[in-house]
Amino acid sequence: MSLLTDTPSRQMLCTSNQMATDLEEAQFTMQEGPCITAAEIGEEVHLTDWDTGARRWPLFTAAFRERHPDVQAVHGFPLWFGDYILGAVDVATRTPGGLSGDVIEQAVDAVEAVADTLLPAQQLLLEQDEYPPWEPADVVRAHWSDTHRAIGVVAVKEEMNTDDALALRRAQAFATGRTLAEITADVLRT
């Protein structure tokens, strides 16, 4: 589950297991995939054919399939609040052909409930400058604040704007096969 902003930034909020973390990391690093597209267009996105997916999201599919070749489908659902998209939720499955129509309807209902639940967290962030206890905490922190701090460091050091600095770090992550969170940790250690 991720929150999106009007910039190239997105904030991972939580994942349910390592495969879900890897799914989110691949999209966060490559800045493409079903979750991002669902949030951009405001509609469900269903990746049930990896050959088609590779043409639409080549960097994401290469990065994710390398780690999880057994995943058969990824479904992205936008998180709506009124007329505004807060972010997106992904559901991955090992079931050939992806989720059935009934399960997709249940997922849509669950995502709507999640959006309603996120609103108090948004207020907490705006008013108290505290981070909710999202899981896994170390990865979420890397997305939530550490990446933004590291991008600021790179922007100053390389004399570029923050969008270009973020793109540079993403390219480095892709070229090395590492996640953006790992690249971020390296930047902050130096």
Side-chain angles (χ1 to χ4, degrees), residues 4 16 24 26 35 40 45 58-59 66 70 83 93 96 104 110-111 117 132 135 140 144-145 154 164 172 183 188-189:
L4 300 174
S16 58
E24 189 57 27
C35 181
E40 287 174 350
V45 174
L59 301 176
E66 182 178 317
D70 58 328
D83 293 335
T93 181
I104 288 173
V111 169
T117 304
E135 295 293 335
V140 172
W144 195 271
S145 61
V154 170
D164 289 344
Q172 181 184 14
I183 299 295
L188 294 177
R189 273 194 293 269

Side-chain angles (χ1 to χ4, degrees), residues 76 118 133 151 174-175:
L118 284 175
I151 296 311
F174 180 71

Side-chain angles (χ1 to χ4, degrees), residues 7-9 147-170 180:
T7 71
S9 300
T147 296
H148 298 288
R149 284 189 11 239
I151 296 311
V153 169
V154 170
V156 169
K157 186 175 182 180
E158 301 293 331
E159 298 180 359
M160 60 178 57
N161 67 44
T162 55
D163 288 347
D164 289 344
L166 180 57
L168 182 64
R169 294 301 103 183
R170 283 194 164 111
L180 188 57

Side-chain angles (χ1 to χ4, degrees), residues 41-110:
I41 66 173
E43 298 176 6
E44 302 167 23
V45 174
H46 305 283
L47 169 56
T48 57
D49 176 348
W50 287 97
D51 291 334
T52 301
R55 288 190 292 277
R56 189 170 187 185
W57 308 292
L59 301 176
F60 160 73
T61 56
F64 184 68
R65 292 291 283 177
E66 182 178 317
R67 289 187 180 196
H68 297 280
D70 58 328
V71 171
Q72 299 295 309
V74 176
H75 303 272
F77 301 93
L79 280 167
W80 281 96
F81 175 64
D83 293 335
Y84 183 72
I85 297 174
L86 295 173
V89 173
D90 280 327
V91 176
T93 181
R94 292 181 176 92
T95 304
L99 301 175
S100 68
D102 290 346
V103 175
I104 288 173
E105 287 179 25
Q106 292 172 4
V108 168
D109 290 342

Side-chain angles (χ1 to χ4, degrees), residues 2 38 41 48 126 187:
S2 295
I41 66 173
T48 57
L126 293 174
V187 169

